[in-house]
Amino acid sequence: HGQDRSQPEPWPAQLDEGFFRELQYHRHERELRTRLRRRAKEREKAVAAAQTEGGTGLVECEVCLEEVLPDELLACAADRHRFCRGCVRRHAETIVGDGGHRVVCLSDDCPPAKEGDPPTEMPGVAEEGILPEPVVRLLQRRLQEAQIREADMTDLERCPFCDFAMVIEGAE
């Protein structure tokens, strides 16, 4: 009446990454929740210890003015300004939402390294685990597209229907 369950089901032709991530989360959910609770308790202890030092162990984010631990701040490339991860994440998401590809310093008074240079950036935003993976991929793709445009390659041909580009020497 039923199927023979002694043989495993064949793998689908195309694997769904989202499904496997969800499966891994489900398999390790209890362990992840325990680890997150432990981290939260460790952070609470560190904040309490910093506050007992007269508040000198905490640093204020220049945007939201929240006091955080020094290792929770990110500095701009000029190392002049420091911001909490939440502010940097929201700033980066806004830039990506507006079609941008460069996450610049959140401070208005952060000049470029030298005259004519682009504004000072916030390095490591894509690598620090601040942004969700789809936003990181979009940011990286836009950065690559901008670099290709800036290269001003004369032999570069683009597909009119997608983002594919290729150098074809001698193309007219």
Side-chain angles (χ1 to χ4, degrees):
H1 290 132
Q3 284 183 306
D4 179 15
R5 297 283 182 186
S6 64
Q7 297 297 319
E9 289 289 324
W11 287 97
Q14 191 168 11
L15 299 178
D16 181 5
E17 182 180 348
F19 169 76
F20 283 104
R21 286 179 184 242
E22 186 69 26
L23 179 64
Q24 289 300 323
Y25 174 79
H26 178 71
R27 286 183 175 171
H28 300 285
E29 183 175 10
R30 181 176 292 138
E31 178 185 336
L32 289 169
R33 289 188 187 277
T34 302
R35 186 177 297 165
L36 288 173
R37 278 193 298 274
R38 189 175 339 120
R39 269 195 203 160
K41 285 180 184 177
E42 289 170 2
R43 183 186 183 283
E44 286 174 15
K45 286 180 185 177
V47 168
Q51 287 173 335
T52 58
E53 297 170 7
T56 57
L58 297 176
V59 183
E60 190 174 79
C61 170
E62 294 182 34
V63 174
C64 67
L65 305 178
E66 184 177 326
E67 289 187 332
V68 295
L69 296 167
D71 62 344
E72 295 177 340
L73 293 176
L74 296 170
C76 68
D79 203 25
R80 292 184 178 174
H81 305 101
R82 299 182 185 282
F83 311 98
C84 71
R85 292 174 176 271
C87 288
V88 172
R89 186 190 77 249
R90 285 186 293 279
H91 175 63
E93 288 173 343
T94 300
I95 287 173
V96 171
D98 289 344
H101 64 276
R102 297 175 54 128
V103 181
V104 298
C105 181
L106 286 79
S107 178
D108 292 333
D109 66 343
C110 194
K114 56 186 174 187
E115 191 66 35
D117 278 359
T120 304
E121 293 191 35
M122 293 295 299
V125 172
E127 294 85 25
E128 295 280 339
I130 295 169
L131 298 173
E133 192 63 33
V135 177
V136 170
R137 284 194 300 266
L138 180 59
L139 193 61
Q140 290 171 339
R141 191 177 83 226
R142 286 187 183 159
L143 179 60
Q144 289 172 345
E145 290 170 1
Q147 290 170 337
I148 289 171
R149 278 193 310 274
E150 290 170 6
D152 196 28
M153 302 165 77
T154 56
D155 293 339
L156 183 70
E157 296 294 326
R158 293 180 167 275
C159 173
F161 305 107
C162 70
D163 294 331
F164 182 77
M166 180 176 173
V167 173
I168 301 177
E169 295 184 24
E172 292 182 13

